[in-house]
Amino acid sequence: MAARVLPSLSPQRRRLVIGTVVLALVVVVVIVVTVVVRRGPPVEPVAQDEPGPVLLVPGFGGSTAALEVLAADLESAGRDVTIVPARGAGTGDLEVRAADLGRAVDAVLDETGEPSVDIVGYSAGGVVLRLYVADLGGGSTVRRAVTLSSPHHGTDLAALAVSFGSETCPEACQQLAPDSDLLRELNAGDETPEGPGWVALWTEDDKTVVPPTSGELEGALDYAVQSVCPDLVVGHPDVPRTPAVVAMVESALGAGDPVEPGPEVCAADLSR
C-alpha cells in the first residue's frame, strides 16, 4: 500500500510522510528500551553512614545453617541480625523470594524504627537481593548490599541440571542457568542499581558457582577472597562461615564507604 502511495506524492509531502514514520518508530524504540531498562520504582537512597539491622538471605535450598556463624559474629559486634527463611524447600521462583524479602525488610524496619537495613545474600540469596533492589523498591531501604559467591551470571551446574528436566532442576535452578530469562533481564543495563553500596565477594575455589567469576558484579566493590588472602582455600559451602570471609563481610557493613580490607582479616579470630 505504502509503496503505491508514496510515488504519487510530491517530494515535499513524501519527505514529510517518511519523516513522520521514522519519528514514530524512534518513539516506539525509546518506549521499549525504557520499559526494559527501567525496572523498579523511583529510588530515594538512604544515608550510607548509618548502619542498621542486618538481614541474611540463604541460597538455593534455603538452608540457614551456613549463615549462623556469620549471624553470631555480627550479633557479637552489636548488630541486630535476622536470617530470612526461604518458603517451602527454597527451590521455588526467586522473584517470589524477593517479594518475601521485601516483606521481611518492612517488618524489621517497622519493629526497629530504623531508616534502612543492610542485606547479605549468600549464593542464590544474592540474586534474590538484587531482584529486591532492582524491582521492588529496595534501593530506598537498603544501605549496603553484599553478595557472597552468588551466581550473578549463572552457573554451568544449573545449565547441566536443566538438561535432566524439572525434577532434577526446579524453578530456581532453571533461573540460575547462564542463559535464563531472569538473569538476562536482571543483568541488562545496570547490574548495581542506584541506592545501596554494593559489595560482591566470591571464591576462586568455588565448584558450585561455575565459573567462580560469575560471582563478579559490575559496579560493585568486587573481589575474590584470595585477592586479600592468597593462601585461603574455601569452597562454596564454607564461604559464609570462614572466619576471614566473615571479617570481610563485617568490614563491608561498616559505617564508612566499603573498601577492600587488608591482610589482617586473614588471621581473623571469631572466638570473642
Side-chain angles (χ1 to χ4, degrees):
M1 178 72 173
R4 293 198 300 269
V5 171
L6 285 177
S8 66
L9 301 176
S10 67
Q12 184 176 2
R13 180 65 62 85
R14 193 182 308 150
R15 286 194 297 270
L16 178 61
V17 171
I18 293 174
T20 302
V21 171
V22 170
L23 179 60
L25 289 174
V26 169
V27 170
V28 169
V29 169
V30 168
I31 291 173
V32 170
V33 170
T34 301
V35 169
V36 170
V37 174
R38 189 181 65 238
R39 299 175 60 87
V43 171
E44 297 181 7
V46 298
Q48 285 288 310
D49 59 349
E50 299 179 9
V54 182
L55 285 79
L56 307 181
V57 186
F60 181 82
S63 172
T64 61
L67 295 172
E68 290 171 0
V69 171
L70 176 58
D73 183 69
L74 292 171
E75 286 174 345
S76 71
R79 303 297 293 271
D80 180 304
V81 182
T82 300
I83 299 178
V84 182
R87 67 169 65 195
T91 58
D93 188 350
L94 296 179
E95 293 183 295
V96 172
R97 286 193 58 190
D100 290 341
L101 174 58
R103 285 186 282 272
V105 169
D106 291 343
V108 168
L109 293 178
D110 287 344
E111 179 181 344
T112 63
E114 297 287 349
S116 67
V117 297
D118 293 344
I119 302 182
V120 180
Y122 166 55
S123 194
V127 177
V128 172
L129 165 56
R130 290 182 61 203
L131 288 167
Y132 168 58
V133 173
D135 293 343
L136 301 174
S140 299
T141 61
V142 182
R143 181 194 73 106
R144 200 63 46 85
V146 180
T147 68
L148 301 179
S149 290
S150 296
H152 296 302
H153 307 96
T155 171
D156 291 347
L157 290 189
L160 177 62
V162 166
S163 66
F164 291 100
S166 59
E167 290 188 7
T168 301
C169 188
E171 187 167 11
C173 169
Q174 296 170 36
Q175 291 172 328
L176 296 174
D179 61 347
S180 75
D181 291 341
L182 182 141
L183 289 181
R184 189 180 305 113
E185 180 182 354
L186 184 59
N187 292 325
D190 190 353
E191 293 186 4
T192 50
E194 182 186 9
W198 290 90
V199 181
L201 309 180
W202 51 280
T203 175
E204 295 172 354
D205 303 314
D206 209 319
K207 300 297 189 293
T208 300
V209 175
V210 182
T213 51
S214 184
E216 295 177 341
L217 194 56
E218 185 177 352
L221 171 64
D222 179 342
Y223 61 93
V225 297
Q226 287 79 15
S227 69
V228 178
C229 305
D231 298 327
L232 182 64
V233 177
V234 54
H236 187 84
D238 294 322
V239 166
R241 54 190 172 209
T242 296
V245 179
V246 171
M248 294 175 193
V249 173
E250 192 171 291
S251 171
L253 298 180
D257 292 338
V259 295
E260 185 172 319
E264 67 276 0
V265 299
C266 304
D269 179 7
L270 301 185
S271 58
R272 314 186 205 180

